Amino acid sequence: MNDTTLKPYFEKYIQGINTGLINIKNNTSERTKLEELKQEIVSTVQSEGKIIFTGIGKNVFACQKLAASYSSIGIPSYFVDAVHAVHGDLGTIGENDLIIALSKSGNTSELINMLNHLTNNKDRFPNKIIGIDCHNSVVTENGFEIHCDKVIHLWCVEEIDEMDLVPTVSAVLLQIIGDIVGVGAAEILGLNKKIFRLNHPGGTIGETLKK
């Protein structure tokens, strides 16, 4: 970038997010998988299961945000760190839970190690695993394709840095899609102001809901 101001980064961010969202909206195959994921979340909650988000690196923060948001709108959710998982945190997972794994590449070794353990121990972990990745490569076979029951591919043209390596556009797209699916599922489950108020009594939102 010859322009040393922040303007080019704003432009790349806006273009990257818009392109990614338009791509998934117009991609019938991937959008259908998102609709199926929405229904799977609804069925999981109705079966008294939880949503388990897992990831590694910068996607940890997307997972944590999504788990917190889902729980606030009536979808019991937790975050399980892929590294800590294989050191005992797998005990958090119940047999009725739905696992959603987030990864830019769909091939991060620590995350694949966890998924490999789950798929090799189906008697203890019969859970359905959904992988969501976000990159600009044609997927042939990665860890998600091997270990997940379903893989949803989001399109990230490029990150905003010159190296095209810093998780920026990809991380935000993963979070946005998670939000869209979660709110869609919550509304099917009957999300209303009463439920939201009971789960979220604090802050400005809580004050607004009391009115």
Side-chain angles (χ1 to χ4, degrees):
M1 292 183 185
N2 294 323
D3 188 343
T4 58
T5 71
L6 292 176
K7 182 180 177 183
Y9 300 102
F10 280 108
E11 292 173 344
K12 287 187 74 173
Y13 230 135
I14 292 168
Q15 181 181 5
I17 297 300
N18 285 344
T19 301
L21 291 177
I22 290 169
N23 179 274
I24 195 71
K25 182 174 77 72
N26 294 336
N27 187 319
T28 303
S29 174
E30 301 306 318
R31 199 177 71 250
T32 297
K33 287 190 242 181
L34 286 174
E35 294 286 353
E36 292 170 350
L37 174 57
K38 178 185 69 178
Q39 293 299 328
E40 286 163 349
I41 290 171
V42 170
S43 298
T44 298
V45 175
Q46 291 173 337
S47 301
E48 300 185 346
K50 308 182 298 294
I51 309 303
I52 303 292
F53 287 97
T54 188
I56 199 72
K58 301 301 180 288
N59 288 322
V60 162
F61 305 105
C63 289
Q64 290 173 329
K65 188 274 177 188
L66 289 171
S69 292
Y70 277 41
S71 293
S72 76
I73 56 177
I75 301 173
S77 304
Y78 294 88
F79 164 65
V80 174
D81 185 285
V83 173
H84 294 164
V86 296
H87 291 272
D89 286 5
L90 288 174
T92 306
I93 301 174
E95 62 180 20
N96 292 328
D97 296 346
L98 174 66
I99 299 169
I100 301 177
L102 304 184
S103 170
K104 177 178 178 176
S105 67
N107 215 28
T108 308
S109 59
E110 299 95 332
L111 181 55
I112 297 308
N113 181 46
M114 170 192 167
L115 298 182
N116 181 59
H117 179 80
L118 295 176
T119 54
N120 285 335
N121 292 278
K122 280 293 187 182
D123 53 335
R124 164 61 181 89
F125 302 105
N127 314 79
K128 182 170 285 188
I129 303 172
I130 309 298
I132 308 179
D133 59 26
C134 186
H135 49 78
N136 58 6
S137 303
V138 176
V139 177
T140 51
E141 185 175 277
N142 60 19
F144 269 11
E145 295 289 341
I146 295 169
H147 296 292
C148 296
D149 297 286
K150 182 183 301 176
V151 183
I152 300 168
H153 302 293
L154 308 182
W155 185 256
C156 174
V157 177
E158 61 179 343
E159 309 289 7
I160 68 170
D161 65 289
E162 290 281 5
M163 301 179 296
D164 188 22
L165 292 173
V166 181
T168 48
V169 174
S170 60
V172 173
L173 279 171
L174 286 166
Q175 185 171 302
I176 290 173
I177 294 302
D179 282 335
I180 290 171
V181 174
V183 171
E187 294 195 341
I188 291 174
L189 289 163
L191 173 65
N192 55 44
K193 286 187 176 181
K194 180 181 178 181
I195 293 172
F196 199 26
R197 175 173 57 81
L198 290 171
N199 291 337
H200 197 312
T204 302
I205 290 176
E207 289 300 318
T208 301
L209 290 169
K210 291 175 184 177
K211 298 176 182 178

